[in-house]
Amino acid sequence: EVQLVESGGGLVQPGGSLRLSCAASGLTVSSHDMSWVRQAPGKGLEWVSSIRISAVETHYADSVKGRFTISRDNSKNTLYLQMDTLRAEDTATYYCAKEIRYHYMEVWGKGTTVTVSS
Amino acid sequence: EIVLTQSPATLSLSPGERAALSCRASQSINNYLAWYQQKPGQPPRLLIYDASNRATGVPARFSGSGSGTDFTLTINSLEPEDFAIYYCQQRSNWPLTFGGGTKVEIK
């Protein structure tokens, strides 16, 4: 069974950092384009970042560019999102997703919650 | 950035009725559009990709149509489990963007 499990969320102060992890089973992260999508409480979906199979090509939403970094560890079959200089508006549930057909989100994790507050 | 506008914001229908949800793009996106369903406390579920292709395991009562800037998700004969929020998403250009969602609620 294909499964994505996010972890690493929590409460952090503004300006702080967190690293989210997305452990995959039943699929190889290095064989797929992968993404992070977030959802603020009571709000809609917002794409955050994507990494291509090559891992050389990455993309970011303007709202996180320069602060967040997407990466993966093939040996651990895990996707990461390093989040620095966090702001209150980054408060959300963060989902990782396996893409199909060039950037549609086919498989989703259950999400991990990030709260940025003093 | 391509803006996706979904309408209506809320659709109140009874089980067995047909739902038609709209997604309009601020510029042409060819057929590079997906639809997702999200229920409370759950991650989204991919329903339709490339405007009209059902994802694996999606019931045939869900269908998508459209190209260019105007797209429709149709749900024929609503089942109780179909009451949820539906989002569209484009992959034509970076950044990827989602519509604001349409809530399909029980009338």
Side-chain angles (χ1 to χ4, degrees):
Chain A
E1 179 190 5
V2 174
Q3 195 171 13
L4 298 171
V5 179
E6 302 93 336
S7 61
L11 175 63
V12 61
Q13 292 189 339
S17 297
L18 279 176
R19 188 178 79 157
L20 305 184
S21 300
C22 171
S25 57
L27 69 94
T28 303
V29 294
S30 62
S31 298
H32 302 280
D33 296 340
M34 301 288 293
S35 279
W36 289 95
V37 176
R38 69 184 180 184
Q39 187 168 36
K43 302 297 184 182
L45 302 170
E46 179 187 16
W47 169 78
V48 173
S49 180
S50 295
I51 183 167
R52 300 298 303 274
I53 290 174
S54 68
V56 172
E57 183 179 343
T58 58
H59 297 271
Y60 298 92
D62 285 347
S63 58
V64 307
K65 199 172 294 183
R67 301 187 299 121
F68 289 12
T69 304
I70 191 171
S71 64
R72 69 177 190 231
D73 185 330
N74 296 343
S75 67
K76 295 182 178 179
N77 205 26
T78 298
L79 179 73
Y80 299 102
L81 185 68
Q82 177 66 40
M83 305 188 297
D84 298 318
T85 319
L86 283 160
R87 306 167 180 168
E89 54 264 36
D90 296 318
T91 294
T93 296
Y94 285 73
Y95 298 101
C96 68
K98 170 218 164 194
E99 297 182 11
I100 60 164
R101 302 284 295 184
Y102 301 106
H103 316 304
Y104 299 126
M105 316 303 166
E106 181 192 30
V107 179
W108 296 68
K110 295 188 186 304
T112 187
T113 300
V114 172
T115 303
V116 184
S117 174
S118 55
Chain B
E1 172 175 319
I2 294 174
V3 176
L4 299 178
T5 302
Q6 291 189 241
S7 62
T10 303
L11 200 50
S12 299
L13 295 168
S14 300
E17 290 193 296
R18 182 186 191 195
L21 287 64
S22 173
C23 177
R24 178 164 291 176
S26 58
Q27 65 189 73
S28 177
I29 57 172
N30 296 298
N31 67 332
Y32 299 140
L33 187 97
W35 290 94
Y36 300 86
Q37 176 193 67
Q38 188 177 32
K39 298 178 182 179
Q42 296 184 18
R45 171 195 180 194
L46 178 65
L47 297 176
I48 301 286
Y49 65 91
D50 285 344
S52 61
N53 296 290
R54 273 190 302 276
T56 302
V58 175
R61 64 181 181 273
F62 291 91
S63 63
S65 63
S67 66
T69 61
D70 290 306
F71 301 86
T72 301
L73 173 69
T74 301
I75 312 171
N76 283 309
S77 190
L78 282 162
E79 297 286 341
E81 61 266 28
D82 299 336
F83 292 92
I85 299 175
Y86 293 83
Y87 295 96
C88 55
Q89 176 237 323
Q90 65 80 23
R91 70 159 185 90
S92 177
N93 285 15
W94 298 103
L96 307 180
T97 51
F98 288 88
T102 291
K103 182 179 181 180
V104 178
E105 66 176 22
I106 299 176
K107 185 174 181 180

